[in-house]
């Protein structure tokens, strides 16, 4: 008879890890990873590589490695800096106005109102529409002769071709299109705020404004940081909406960076230079976003 030592009381035997478990997990994830690698990572790496070449359109054209020459040309390009300025004005304006409007709408939809469910569904309508459809619809709204906006205001302004109002008009459309997802996220955050905090503040005599400033905003802070960061990235990369509305006009007043890259690549055929612009915008967006998140985290600590 063979005697074995008894295990100490309270100890549990750790189950042996199957060597094939990691392999099976990888095989299960492979169908989801392949489209991501093919459609996202592959083009991203190719675009970065293209930024260091002089790739051009046309037959029998030779592509050579030029190092950082494209980046030097980009820094000296006045058209790029003007496009970048317009893009930052667009992205910051749309993000801020979108957040303020969405916060007000989320606070309203969070109240016990009649037909609240129908109002919430109605608020999602712009989200369900493709940007191209939204652009075509607002072109009709802004039409100088048959547009509903001029009919209501009693004016004859050519909103999308006037140098002074084209960019604000496009910003308004961007705010309207992006409000639904921001509203949904903020509304979800509001519904997770404990009601006991409002009840305790009411007992202490806090008014509506003090409850909003000292309870609602601090509780929504993580949600606000997340959704405004995503909105900024989406807005700086916007292309289809502005292209349908103005195609960058009039006179380049609404030419966002992605429109500038599109023109360099598909109108003038400078694929390497256009890829350089995309890489540069990505670096700038990551830097701005990193600074914003760092400041928010520092203030939270």
């Amino acid at each position: 008879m063979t005697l074995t030592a008894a295990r100490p009381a309270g100890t549990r035997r750790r189950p042996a890890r199957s060597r094939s478990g990691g392999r099976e997990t990888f095989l299960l994830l492979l169908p989801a990873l392949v489209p991501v690698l093919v459609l996202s990572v592959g083009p991203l790496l190719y675009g970065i590589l293209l930024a260091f070449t002089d790739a051009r359109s046309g037959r029998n054209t030779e592509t050579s490695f030029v190092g950082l020459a494209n980046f030097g040309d980009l820094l000296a390009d006045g058209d790029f800096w003007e496009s970048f300025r317009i893009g930052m004005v667009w992205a910051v304006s749309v993000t801020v106005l979108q957040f303020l409007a969405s916060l007000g709408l989320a606070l309203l939809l969070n109240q016990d109102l009649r037909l609240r469910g129908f109002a919430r569904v109605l608020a999602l309508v712009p989200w369900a529409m493709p940007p191209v459809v939204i652009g075509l619809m607002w072109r009709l709204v802004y039409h100088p002769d048959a547009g509903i906006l001029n009919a209501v205001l009693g004016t004859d302004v050519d909103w999308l071709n006037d140098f002074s109002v084209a960019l604000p008009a496009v910003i308004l459309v961007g705010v309207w299109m992006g409000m639904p997802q921001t509203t949904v996220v903020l509304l979800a955050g509001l519904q997770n705020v404990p009601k006991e905090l409002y009840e305790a503040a009411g007992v202490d005599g806090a008014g509506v404004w003090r409850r909003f400033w000292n309870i609602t905003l601090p509780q929504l802070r993580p949600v606000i940081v997340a959704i405004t960061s995503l909105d900024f990235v989406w807005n700086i990369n916007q292309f289809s909406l502005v292209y349908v509305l103005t195609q960058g006009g009039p006179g380049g007043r609404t030419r966002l960076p992605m429109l500038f890259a599109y023109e360099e690549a598909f109108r003038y055929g400078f694929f390497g230079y256009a890829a350089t612009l995309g890489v540069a915008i990505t670096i700038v967006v990551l830097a701005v976003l990193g600074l914003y998140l760092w400041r928010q985290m520092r203030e939270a600590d």
Side-chain angles (χ1 to χ4, degrees):
M1 180 181 296
T2 302
L3 298 178
T4 58
R7 293 198 311 271
T11 61
R12 300 178 61 183
R13 178 175 297 176
R14 181 178 298 175
R17 180 178 296 178
S18 174
R19 294 182 178 179
S20 62
R23 186 183 306 171
E24 293 177 355
T25 302
F26 175 76
L27 291 176
L28 290 173
L29 292 176
L30 190 59
L33 291 176
V34 169
V36 173
L37 293 174
V38 173
L39 301 177
S40 297
V41 179
L44 175 63
L45 296 178
Y46 180 70
I48 295 175
L49 177 63
L50 206 63
F52 297 94
T53 67
D54 60 350
R56 299 184 301 274
S57 63
R59 296 182 178 180
N60 301 322
T61 57
E62 296 183 358
T63 300
S64 58
F65 181 78
V66 296
L68 299 176
N70 286 335
F71 291 91
D73 294 339
L74 192 68
L75 293 176
D77 191 344
D79 291 335
F80 162 72
W81 288 111
E82 178 64 14
S83 175
F84 179 74
R85 183 191 68 82
I86 295 173
M88 292 301 296
V89 171
W90 152 271
V92 173
S93 300
V94 173
T95 301
V96 172
L97 295 176
Q98 189 172 287
F99 165 71
L100 295 176
S102 299
L103 180 60
L105 183 59
L107 291 171
L108 179 63
L109 295 177
N110 196 42
Q111 304 300 317
D112 293 328
L113 303 174
R114 296 181 59 184
L115 301 176
R116 183 176 60 177
F118 176 75
R120 290 178 177 178
V121 173
L122 193 63
L124 295 176
V125 170
W127 199 5
M129 301 173 64
V132 174
V133 175
I134 293 176
L136 293 174
M137 182 185 71
W138 278 90
R139 280 182 65 90
L140 296 176
V141 173
Y142 285 140
H143 196 279
D145 298 323
I148 188 175
L149 185 60
N150 279 336
V152 172
L153 298 178
T155 58
D156 58 351
V157 179
D158 193 351
W159 299 94
L160 298 178
N161 291 306
D162 191 307
F163 281 75
S164 60
V165 297
L167 184 58
V170 173
I171 288 175
L172 176 63
V173 181
V175 173
W176 184 84
M177 184 182 72
M179 277 182 57
Q181 64 264 31
T182 308
T183 301
V184 169
V185 173
L186 293 176
L187 181 59
L190 287 172
Q191 292 178 343
N192 287 325
V193 178
K195 295 183 179 180
E196 293 79 6
L197 297 178
Y198 294 109
E199 295 173 356
V203 172
D204 292 338
V208 176
W209 174 250
R210 288 191 60 189
R211 280 181 287 177
F212 172 77
W213 188 257
N214 295 320
I215 297 177
T216 304
L217 281 183
Q219 291 291 319
L220 286 179
R221 187 184 189 91
V223 178
I224 293 173
V225 171
I227 192 59
T228 51
S229 300
L230 290 174
D231 284 341
F232 178 79
V233 173
W234 290 333
N235 290 326
I236 197 67
N237 289 314
Q238 181 58 249
F239 170 80
S240 55
L241 177 67
V242 181
Y243 183 80
V244 173
L245 284 172
T246 63
Q247 296 186 3
R253 294 301 176 92
T254 61
R255 186 168 60 179
L256 305 183
M258 293 302 103
L259 285 172
F260 182 75
Y262 168 81
E263 291 179 353
E264 291 295 326
F266 298 104
R267 178 174 295 180
Y268 305 117
F270 300 131
F271 293 126
Y273 189 68
T276 304
L277 189 146
V279 173
I281 291 297
T282 301
I283 295 173
V284 171
V285 168
L286 291 177
V288 173
L289 200 58
L291 179 62
Y292 171 70
L293 294 176
W294 176 76
R295 291 189 60 183
Q296 294 297 323
M297 293 174 62
R298 185 178 179 182
E299 292 178 2
D301 292 338

